[in-house]
Amino acid sequence: MRKIVCLALCLALLAQPALALPEMGTLYAKSAALYAANGQELYSYNADEPLQPASVTKIMTMLLTMEALDRGEVSLDTMITGSEYACSMGGTQIWLEPGEQLTLDEMLKAIAVGSANDCAVAVAEHLAGTEAAFVERMNTRAAELGCTGTQFINANGLDGMGQKTMTTAHDLALISCELLRHPKILDYTRIWMDSIRGGKFSLANTNKMLKSYQGLTGLKTGYISEAGFCISATAERDGLSLVAIVMAAPTKENRMADATALLNYGFANFTAYTLPDDLLPPVPVTLGRAAFVQPQMEDSGSLIIEKSKAAALEPQIDLPESVRAPIEQGQPLGELTVLSDGQVVLRVPLVAAEAVECKGLGELFSGLWGALFCGAQENQTN
């Protein structure tokens, strides 16, 4: 492995004395977490305590819906039919009638903006056949994302017959970060007021922070009496995207205060820095149809770092002298280690930005023949 040590990154505008992060202060909620959208944990408070998420459950329902959209299994114009069961949900709803059809676009709007329990179940039934089958997908997907304290029982977060959805602030943050990989969802979660059914039914967003917090983008509020007031609050400023999770706050005001404190803490103390394009050198490829493969960071390409450490960053890049084809897109190539004052602040896997196929037998033979022919010509010349 060769090691390339670059000069300290120039972040003079962000430079501050290297001090420990300040304390968050007292939160009202039983549990809270602050993450960067790339999945990097920035702060946690009782984040592994299992609690009820109420309607924040719907972030997983929306995630599975967006993934189905990406796979082409449905489109925003797909008509979703309200079943007798979906229409019986109660709680926050748009009063679907059995047999009523709305587009998936309207259903998503009702779920994200109005927190419609009936629409969440109708979409679940359409995607998986039954809500029970959809719940299996929810739990499987949660496990794939590394959620260890989550058990969904339905698509909307209501209590069931002697059952409760349980999750943790840590797990909700992971699900929220994954949902943010589908930026189309923000077209719905950022809506303040809208309507469906041809303008006959009005929707007002349950997330009142959209009007009070600069840069807020979503994602979902939740409340039932046993769960208290919960939220997955996402916001973006100056290229830094954050996820704040608040669970079991005593009041709406406490929920908003905690989410605001978490996001303020994140924006005050962390920054996103994107590495220059020329920092990662291409790696030579042997026996490949391309001579080089470009490494890139496994995540979005941004590092989330403490502002107090930004002035003294020193990246170290470990890459092989060469790699052999075939190479798959996303295949691990090496590692980027970021140091500050000699201390490791971040390790980021480096992966192949594109696939490189092996040369075919004809290409290999042609290359060998060309090398032999050129060599023979040189000998004749000499």
Side-chain angles (χ1 to χ4, degrees):
M1 301 285 280
R2 70 169 181 250
K3 181 173 288 187
I4 304 172
V5 182
C6 301
L7 297 175
L9 301 177
C10 296
L11 295 176
L13 293 176
L14 300 174
Q16 296 180 10
L19 302 173
L21 285 174
E23 294 294 327
M24 172 67 71
T26 303
L27 298 175
Y28 297 99
K30 286 185 179 179
S31 176
L34 177 67
Y35 275 62
N38 67 358
Q40 186 178 336
E41 182 181 293
L42 306 179
Y43 174 85
S44 67
Y45 170 70
N46 293 337
D48 292 320
E49 181 179 352
L51 295 166
Q52 291 180 257
S55 279
V56 183
T57 294
K58 295 183 179 85
I59 61 172
M60 179 57 89
T61 301
M62 291 190 286
L63 172 60
L64 294 184
T65 303
M66 299 310 294
E67 290 177 342
L69 276 166
D70 286 351
R71 292 192 297 267
E73 297 171 4
V74 288
S75 72
L76 292 175
D77 294 326
T78 297
M79 301 303 295
I80 310 295
T81 304
S83 68
E84 291 271 1
Y85 175 68
C87 298
S88 70
M89 285 299 104
T92 307
Q93 56 187 312
I94 65 163
W95 309 104
L96 272 177
E97 293 289 339
E100 181 182 2
Q101 290 189 318
L102 296 175
T103 63
L104 180 57
D105 177 67
E106 287 191 300
M107 288 282 186
L108 272 172
K109 195 180 296 182
I111 294 168
V113 179
S115 195
N117 295 320
D118 45 5
C119 292
V121 174
V123 170
E125 291 177 329
H126 183 91
L127 292 178
T130 66
E131 187 189 29
F134 187 80
V135 170
E136 287 186 19
R137 295 186 185 182
M138 294 171 75
N139 288 317
T140 297
R141 192 71 181 98
E144 291 172 351
L145 293 174
C147 301
T148 58
T150 295
Q151 187 66 37
F152 293 110
I153 66 165
N154 54 37
N156 52 36
L158 293 172
D159 284 347
M161 296 288 289
Q163 294 180 302
K164 302 174 183 178
T165 288
M166 301 297 289
T167 186
T168 67
H170 167 81
D171 289 357
L172 287 180
L174 294 179
I175 299 167
S176 299
C177 290
E178 190 66 21
L179 182 55
L180 289 176
R181 292 179 180 271
H182 303 270
K184 179 66 178 176
I185 196 61
L186 301 183
D187 291 346
Y188 298 94
T189 60
R190 284 190 289 212
I191 294 172
W192 177 243
M193 296 189 73
D194 209 324
S195 62
I196 55 175
R197 294 177 173 136
K200 296 178 182 178
F201 192 93
S202 297
L203 297 170
N205 206 308
T206 59
N207 189 356
K208 305 310 177 187
M209 288 185 67
L210 284 168
K211 284 293 186 181
S212 66
Y213 195 85
Q214 178 189 351
L216 202 84
T217 58
L219 279 172
K220 191 70 195 72
T221 61
Y223 170 79
I224 54 177
S225 56
E226 285 193 51
F229 292 88
C230 309
I231 193 171
S232 170
T234 58
E236 184 172 355
R237 293 180 188 174
D238 300 322
L240 176 60
S241 181
L242 298 177
V243 175
I245 305 296
V246 174
M247 299 189 73
T251 68
K252 283 184 181 180
E253 293 75 19
N254 294 156
R255 175 177 66 187
M256 184 179 293
D258 282 358
T260 298
L262 288 163
L263 292 171
N264 284 346
Y265 179 87
F267 289 125
N269 293 291
F270 296 91
T271 186
Y273 178 73
T274 301
L275 292 173
D277 292 336
D278 59 355
L279 182 65
L280 300 177
V283 178
V285 178
T286 58
L287 303 179
R289 287 183 171 173
F292 296 92
V293 62
Q294 180 61 46
Q296 67 178 17
M297 289 189 291
E298 190 175 43
D299 60 18
S300 62
S302 293
L303 303 176
I304 310 304
I305 56 172
E306 295 175 25
K307 287 183 178 180
S308 61
K309 296 178 179 178
L313 286 185
E314 183 182 24
Q316 295 183 349
I317 302 169
D318 287 333
L319 289 168
E321 293 288 347
S322 65
V323 289
R324 184 170 179 172
I327 301 167
E328 296 181 1
Q329 184 178 19
Q331 178 177 319
L333 295 178
E335 185 178 64
L336 167 69
T337 303
V338 182
L339 306 177
S340 178
D341 295 327
Q343 300 295 315
V344 174
V345 294
L346 194 62
R347 296 185 187 276
V348 182
L350 299 176
V351 300
E354 65 281 324
V356 179
E357 296 180 353
C358 279
K359 288 182 178 179
L361 289 176
E363 292 170 297
L364 291 172
F365 181 78
S366 176
L368 178 61
W369 177 256
L372 292 174
F373 181 75
C374 289
Q377 280 193 323
E378 287 181 6
N379 289 334
Q380 290 177 359
T381 302
N382 294 334

